[in-house]
Amino acid sequence: MNPTQTPERVELGKFFEVSAREYEAGKPAPEMFSTAVDAAWHRLLSTSEYATFCTQHAGQAFGHVSSHGTGRVSWVSTYEELFGPLPAIWFTEADGAVDQEAMDRYLTTGEVWAEWNCSPAPEDPETAPKRRKVTIR
């Protein structure tokens, strides 16, 4: 794995793809509940490659907005349809500690209950390119 393709960054790309699909379906802003993936997002935000990364994974640029909350994470089923079960990195803190209780609860119930403090938001929803629909056979 090259140094820029950390597990956190790979999952951030998947999160952006899921986020684009959630927005297209008229669903609310996806919740960023992983502090490890969010830390990767913060590192990438201040780079010149951020817009390209967003476009590559979501077909549009995303802003990083505050959206404090707690409860059931809404986008898990969309993620699972595209990529399979959430990997452990989603239950990993920025310091590398895995919240084993939360991960076990997800593995048992298929749901994620968490706290979050941010979400992606399309930077310009009117001019964002539409993603093409992909049919899986």
Side-chain angles (χ1 to χ4, degrees):
M1 179 178 294
N2 91 38
T4 61
Q5 284 299 85
T6 64
E8 296 86 351
R9 202 154 162 181
V10 168
E11 290 304 311
L12 180 61
K14 291 177 182 180
F15 177 70
F16 283 174
E17 183 171 345
V18 167
S19 297
R21 289 176 185 255
E22 294 288 284
Y23 278 118
E24 285 175 4
K27 295 181 180 175
E31 309 88 354
M32 172 51 77
F33 71 91
S34 169
T35 58
V37 178
D38 189 44
W41 188 2
H42 281 259
R43 285 189 297 274
L44 187 59
L45 268 170
S46 61
T47 69
S48 60
E49 67 184 296
Y50 181 69
T52 301
F53 183 88
C54 288
T55 302
Q56 176 185 358
H57 294 283
Q60 61 185 291
F62 280 124
H64 182 277
V65 297
S66 282
S67 65
H68 299 275
T70 185
R72 184 178 162 277
V73 175
S74 65
W75 53 267
V76 173
S77 62
T78 301
Y79 180 101
E80 290 171 335
E81 289 171 16
L82 294 170
F83 307 111
L86 292 171
I89 195 66
W90 280 102
F91 304 94
T92 303
E93 302 296 330
D95 66 5
V98 175
D99 183 341
Q100 195 63 49
E101 183 179 336
M103 190 167 130
D104 289 345
R105 188 171 40 249
Y106 163 67
L107 293 172
T108 301
T109 67
E111 294 183 341
V112 175
W113 293 80
E115 293 180 17
W116 57 87
N117 62 16
C118 62
S119 294
E123 288 194 347
D124 186 352
E126 295 301 315
T127 62
K130 299 296 180 205
R131 296 174 43 82
R132 46 188 180 103
K133 304 289 184 205
V134 177
T135 305
I136 301 172
R137 297 175 192 240

